[in-house]
Amino acid sequence: MGQPQKSIAAEQQILSLARVLQSLREEDDVDVLIETTISYLKEQFDYRLIWIALYDRLNHTLFGKGGTTPDNDTVFLRQRVVLSPGDLLEQVVIEQHPLGVADLQTEIRAAEWQKIAKKFHIKGTIILPICYKDRCLGLLLLGSERWGYLLTGEAKARLMMVLGELGAVISQNEMDLQHKQTKRTDEPLLELLENLRSLTNLNQRLEAAVQATHKFVSPSRTNVYWFEREGRYFWCRMSNQLVKLDRNSNTQQAAGITVQELSDFYYALTVNQIVSIGDAHSSLKSHFTAKLLQRLKVRSLLAAPVIWQNDLVGFLAVESNEPRNWMETEKNFVQGVAGLISLVASSESMESTIKQIQEDAQLTSQVAQGIYSEHDLQDTLHSCAKKVLARLTATRFLLLQYDSEQNNYQFIYQNQPHNRRPLTFTLDTLKELDGQLLQRSTQAVEIQNLDEDLRFFNWRPLLLENGVRSLLVCKCTHEHIPGALLVITHESHHSWTTLEKELLWAVSQQIGVIVRQWQLHNRTTQQQKVSQAFEQCLRILTQSQNSKIEVEKKHLERTALEQIASILGCPLAILLSWSPGESWAEIIPGVIDNSQFGIFSDASIPIQAEALIQWALVTENYLTLKVDNLPPETRKWLKAPDKGQILVMALRTNADYETTGVVLLADYQERRWSEQNLSAIATLISLLAWWRRQKQITQLLESTTEELRQLNWYKHRRLEEIQRITALSLKQIHDLGIPTNELTQMRYELLLQQLDHTVTSMSGMLKLEQWRLHISWETMSIVSLLKRSLERIENLLKQQKLWIGVHGLGQQIEEKESPKNSSLAKGVPTSNAQSAMAIAGDIVKIELVIHELLVTACNRSQTGGRIDIWCRRFDASKNLDAKHSSANVGTDHQTSLELSITYNGAIEPQLLTELHDNTSKDVLAHSNLDQPPALHLLICQNLMQELGGELNFYQLPDNRVVSRLLLPLIGHDS
């Protein structure tokens, strides 16, 4: 009998479940749904506490919707419960899984429910989520007096089915309600558009837009704020509370908002971004959000910008005194109304805009006509500046040009009101970021608030000091560093429209043509200046060729320095001058045009210790440096400002020639001179260097020639006197007659013959060689020539105790013979073969050369040493090593006599090098060949070349010195 009862009970439960599910599906009211669910739970489940709550996702709270209690008091079951971290209810909401509590009275994670559980003796509790598609819609709490929280599988299944259906129906009802509550924006916007068409006044149109927006959004108030560019602030032009506000109204609404107060809000509007501030979110930073809400005295705000031609005209704002989350439809509607306002605002000013465009076109046309006409460019700029300042309501019109030498921007034209002084400072070159900003710009760069804007940072202090608060900057040219800039400034924070910036850009590009004309004119002027400096220097240096006075030379150098300084515009130009071999430099002042500079002209400047001179000498071209880098020793004789700049360049002509001076140019500030000017002064300094060298060489040669002329005159007149006296003495001897003694008579006649020969040779020299050498042609055997040469140095050999030997004349050398006990002539062979070997040429001069070589060998040999004379035939055509000699000997004498004199003695390597090279050298530099005895060797070497021979000097590996002489040799058939 028990089994049928269970079947009946199960069937009843299923029927009850079916009925409640059917009721839930057919009902739309959420409250009725919840009551139906509670009735079902009371009927089918034995729980003394039942509570159902719905979940608010935005506010993270639960709203109690009812239930049952043991005393039927359901007031607290309809309260609002704010979920907090760690709460049991929050855990179920987040995890969306059922949660059981064995004894609710002891559960600390549900503090409020602990009190209720103790009041109604509730222990075992189950908390179940009401979900639909992973969305938690609410909670169901079931409490029992029994301990534990077990729920049978069948009961749990029925309960989950009911809760699942309840969640589905609640979710569908929420969607239907949201759809019903969703506002349609198309119809109100179309209605507003139709109203705007029928209205002709802008204020009426703004009023209609405000009323439509207020009706659709239903905020606390709706306002239209208008942007005033002069002063950069927003003022309330229209409001649903105060209609037709005037900008001069004293009400708080009309006072408006300055851009400086809320810059982020302003910049968000300028980029066409809607600003939304709600209950829990904001599109602005928290700092500016609080500031804006406090300024408007609201708690929620929705603002849409009114923009026309990329310029901010104002914004439409809906404001609420309560926290409010704005819906997307409300944002879209406000943004749409703001767009309609921009259209009606532009239509009102369309006529004035067209007129302004025509005036702007006329202005640019006048600028272009002024550029290409014959009118003065200054007048064109003056007229243009007046119109631009009036059009843009600006204070100053500034045209800047980049000075590459000063590395800054200078004002080349400026225009301002009569009660404003012109700007007298210069602006540093732009920083890298600002320079890149201008290079990339295709329109005027606007700075509305110079106090806060960090662009053109290195210009800010000077501009702010002179009252500039906002400005427009346009590049007039397009170089890497803009060569010209047009700047428009204002004394207050100001904003310009896109049309105004486009106008200024067009004007700046046309002014760029004017700047380029100025640059070409300045470049031509500078080239003429350089050309005149070159012409003047050439004229000065040409006129100075006949000057022999040192004072005149310094005057010409000063004049040349003036021309060099004029090219760079330097206030100081001096020359540090010295002669070859000197250790101290002399200061030759050229230009000193500034009191900041000074030269101690009497100072002694050591060439080796002076840094400026040494730096210039090691620099191939010119060198520039700052004054504050000079050492203290230089500052003792050179007075210059610390910020000044110096250029030094050595007077260099050739790498092999000595430098004889350094040109010093200075300026009172750091400059970057143009390459053209630097190249010009480098050329002029090089020209000055060659002129000074030529002048020094000329003076040296003139003085040397003068000395030689005096010496030659003196020696010639002395020889004439000696010849006269000798001839007179011979006449007197002849008049006395010949002695009677035979031996004496013989010797007497011999001496007379020698005197006659001497007088005859002296007479020929006085007659033929008064001012130049006369080359004669004679022959003499080499043996006779050597005998005569050795006889002339016999006394010198005895004094030095020197041994001498002659080799290569066909006889064994008598090395034991000494000048002490026999005549040197005995060491010279006299065989017929060797006697026949003779040389041809000017025998007297060749004999003098051999004598000079023998005297040099004796003087350089050690006491008790030996000298060897080597003789041999030398065929240049058969000796490859003597190719350079064959050209000198001549075609008629292919065979020469090689005469080498060797000795052990000291000789300077530098002297051997100079004698070996014997090429063009710096005549101003010190040389061993300038003084005897080296000068005598050089004269012999050059003389042998004129006589058709050759003379060389070198040193053997065993340190013996060789004087090698090639003499023309006569053949047997001559």
Side-chain angles (χ1 to χ4, degrees), residues 391-407:
R391 171 68 176 86
L392 302 183
T393 61
T395 307
R396 293 181 183 272
F397 180 98
L398 306 174
L399 184 58
L400 287 76
Q401 186 174 15
Y402 176 70
D403 188 344
S404 59
E405 294 187 359
Q406 304 288 347
N407 193 27

Side-chain angles (χ1 to χ4, degrees), residues 24 30 33-34 37-38 41 50-55 62-63 65-66 89 92-93 95-98 127-141 159-171 174:
L24 293 176
V30 176
L33 290 172
I34 291 176
T37 303
I38 293 173
L41 293 176
I50 300 173
W51 180 56
I52 294 179
L54 296 181
Y55 176 59
L62 292 173
F63 293 94
K65 303 301 290 185
L89 300 181
V92 174
V93 169
E95 296 180 357
Q96 299 184 18
H97 290 295
I127 306 174
L128 300 100
I130 302 173
C131 301
Y132 180 74
K133 291 183 178 181
D134 297 331
R135 286 181 58 210
C136 182
L137 303 175
L139 295 179
L140 169 62
L141 186 145
L159 182 59
M160 296 306 293
M161 292 176 65
V162 172
L163 293 180
E165 188 65 29
L166 177 62
V169 176
I170 291 176
S171 177
E174 285 185 356

